Amino acid sequence: MIMKGKKGVILGVANNKSIAYGIAKACAAQGAEIAFTYLNDSLKKRVVPIAEEFGSADCVYPCDVSKPEEIKALKESIEKDMGKIDFIVHSIAFAPKEGLSGRFYDISKEAFDIAMDISVYSLIEVVRELKPLLSENSSVLTLTYYGGAKYIPNYNLMGVAKAALEMTTKYLAEDLGKDGIRVNAISAGPIKTLAAAGIGDFRFMLKWNEAHSPLKKNVSIDEVGNSGMYLLSDLSSAVTGEIHYVDSGFNIMG
Ligand code: 0WD
């Protein structure tokens, strides 16, 4: 029970196909106590049963990260119900549909600002607001994709956001290292989730990754979950600022 005695909050479960669900499953299997958040009332219906599944019925909170007051309220709720926590999972991204296909140079400033706010700045804001609750030996994890390092067709605006998220991970890791807080990202291979459905020709990405990765297969949320659990646990106590690929090795190919 590697996570026994560890408490944390997972942001970004939309349903049981979400990567965040895979991470929750792996952490709960190793004894972690988990709080969940949901974006809005329609997702609440999905997230509440998931929280119940992991014995967290009393720790499910609303949190739309585009609303600073909801992040502040989350901190108050967690403090009241759980006290100190040891980990945060940020598994959130959003870009308006116009930014996920078509000509890159057509992207509007409005779409750009929304994508950067929800997919990048939210990591900084969530960590800053929850920092008073983080224990001396804690771990923060976010989710990125290879399209933030290299060109991937249609990933467009989200690619730019992921590049910013990966550097945010590194700058946060440096800044928070002195406080005993580690910050890492998993760069997951493509997985069919709600968020992925918004990306143009996603099925092609899945097929391409499967055919051209060393392991000749796509990754599952359980595989990302297990790697996530490692980065959230003390097994990775000397790992911070890392972009850890869980992609069947796709990123090493020329
Ligand atoms: O292929 C993939 N699916 C990959 C996803 C490959 C590599 C990385 N990722 C990343 C995504 O970019 C994201 O950062 O993993 C993270 C989780 O994505 P997911 O598990 O693929 O997708 P999903 O199950 O849809 O969860 C993302 C959730 C949202 O779902 P919807 O579908 O409703 O947009 O992020 C949440 C929401 O629950 N979210 C927000 N949460 C709080 N405040 C907000 C917001 N403003 N916007 C979206």
Side-chain angles (χ1 to χ4, degrees):
M1 294 295 244
I2 292 157
M3 298 294 280
K4 190 133 190 73
K6 297 258 187 211
K7 291 189 267 184
V9 58
I10 299 187
L11 296 93
V13 174
N15 57 33
N16 62 8
K17 307 264 187 297
S18 296
I19 292 174
Y21 177 85
I23 296 171
K25 197 172 145 195
C27 290
Q30 292 298 326
E33 231 179 279
I34 304 165
F36 292 88
T37 66
Y38 55 88
L39 167 60
N40 52 35
D41 280 343
S42 70
L43 286 177
K44 181 179 181 184
K45 285 187 253 127
R46 295 256 169 79
V47 178
V48 166
I50 287 171
E52 284 166 357
E53 179 187 336
F54 296 117
S56 305
D58 297 334
C59 301
V60 197
Y61 314 106
C63 187
D64 177 342
V65 294
S66 68
K67 298 178 179 151
E69 66 280 9
E70 292 199 8
I71 302 179
K72 285 193 194 317
L74 176 67
K75 185 245 172 190
E76 299 301 323
S77 302
I78 293 177
E79 186 166 29
K80 183 162 72 64
D81 297 341
M82 300 177 90
K84 288 269 178 189
I85 57 171
D86 309 284
F87 65 88
I88 301 171
V89 176
H90 172 279
S91 187
I92 288 171
F94 177 77
K97 208 157 173 57
E98 66 167 273
L100 297 172
S101 62
R103 299 290 298 265
F104 179 77
Y105 86 123
D106 270 342
I107 289 165
S108 67
K109 180 165 178 348
E110 195 195 353
F112 190 91
D113 288 349
I114 291 171
M116 295 299 274
D117 182 37
I118 295 177
S119 314
V120 186
Y121 187 70
S122 65
L123 175 64
I124 302 172
E125 197 168 7
V126 165
V127 169
R128 187 179 58 242
E129 293 302 327
L130 298 189
K131 187 170 176 290
L133 306 183
L134 286 173
S135 67
E136 195 26 56
N137 183 20
S138 53
S139 177
V140 176
L141 178 67
T142 188
L143 271 300
T144 184
Y145 177 60
Y146 188 56
K150 296 278 180 184
Y151 169 80
I152 294 284
N154 295 317
Y155 204 59
N156 294 13
L157 176 54
M158 194 50 81
V160 175
K162 291 304 191 192
L165 181 70
E166 292 182 13
M167 283 316 293
T168 298
T169 300
K170 294 179 192 190
Y171 276 90
L172 275 178
E174 194 288 328
D175 195 22
L176 297 175
K178 54 177 107 43
D179 302 312
I181 302 166
R182 298 184 293 110
V183 186
N184 292 290
I186 283 183
S187 184
I191 302 175
K192 206 164 167 253
T193 62
L194 269 186
I199 299 161
D201 213 358
F202 185 75
R203 280 203 336 218
F204 178 77
M205 268 163 80
L206 278 174
K207 278 195 184 147
W208 187 265
N209 198 81
E210 184 177 7
H212 295 92
S213 60
L215 296 178
K216 301 282 177 261
K217 61 165 194 157
N218 280 314
V219 303
S220 68
I221 61 168
D222 289 334
E223 289 170 317
V224 178
N226 287 334
S227 299
M229 190 277 292
Y230 152 76
L231 287 170
L232 297 171
S233 78
D234 293 339
L235 290 176
S236 59
S237 57
V239 180
T240 195
E242 183 74 0
I243 311 299
H244 179 61
Y245 280 88
V246 182
D247 66 345
S248 297
F250 180 81
N251 73 96
I252 67 160
M253 304 302 278

